[in-house]
Amino acid sequence: MEGKPTEFKKTKEFLICIDSDGCAIDTMDLKHRKSLAPCTVYEWGLEEFRDAIQRRWREISLYSMDRGVNRFIGLAKILKDINENYKHVEDLDSLLNWVQNADELSNDSLKAEVERTDSPCLKKVLAWSELVNGSIRMINTDEKVPFDGVREALQKMTGFADIAIVTAANEEEIRKEWVYWDMIEYVEHIYAQEAGSKASTIHRLKELGYASDHILMIGDAPADLKAAQENGVLFFPINVREEKQCWEEFRREGANRFRNGIYAGRYQDEKITDFYDNLAG
Ligand SMILES: [Mg+2]
């Protein structure tokens, strides 16, 4: 199978949007451990602090309310921490200003900013980001394993809902993973970073005619919850370190509640409270 859903068509009354990284597929820890953290150590010459930096990356990017933030925002936090506690980071303010003020945080907009400012720190950030892209591509797809229970949940969902992947990652990469694990067959469409923000994607899907309480976003990061809330649709969290239990819970109970119109209210509120507690703890 080519694995390329083309145009999205509304075929059912329900829509489920699923985030991929750290939600359906266990890639977050892998990407931070094998790419983002080591590339930071390399680019800023931080070998002597390697372990501490690795640890901080995990604390900030995996186990806090910053989980899933844009890579440049994550990097700015880490470098600020490094600058305060380990080693001076030259021209750090250029990065801090850029992440705070830029309309778009991407390689393209960073390139334009480097040309405009000739900032030494931003030049390093661009080199870092390209190195991150290259090293992420080098992680074998067979290492990026779906969480237990995802497939069973998809089988259940596909009986009554249209399914879209809504991700901030690169489309080609996500497609490769879903094809590799034979899960693409459940999916109507992949909306990736090229499609715009998660919130704007959900907004566009809503316009296809699904009722607000017939749309559910499943995600692992505060940004996923925010995208759902901004559109007034439902949210089911996949909590870090509890992914398997969460997918089981969804298959056993969440999916039925969603389908039967008894999802919003106490059940969803409890899920969201647990989600925050898990990231804050
Ligand atoms: Mg995610």
Side-chain angles (χ1 to χ4, degrees), residues 19-25 27-28 67-68 166-168 198 217-221 224:
D19 172 61
S20 189
D21 277 352
C23 175
I25 303 191
T27 51
M28 291 274 286
R67 180 177 173 85
V166 178
T167 170
K198 291 178 183 179
M217 173 82 201
I218 303 180
D220 66 294
D224 301 322

Side-chain angles (χ1 to χ4, degrees), residues 147-157 186 247 251:
F147 289 110
D148 285 340
V150 172
R151 185 182 309 277
E152 292 78 2
L154 285 167
Q155 280 161 355
K156 175 139 186 182
M157 288 177 223
Y186 301 109
W247 281 107
R251 184 178 54 81

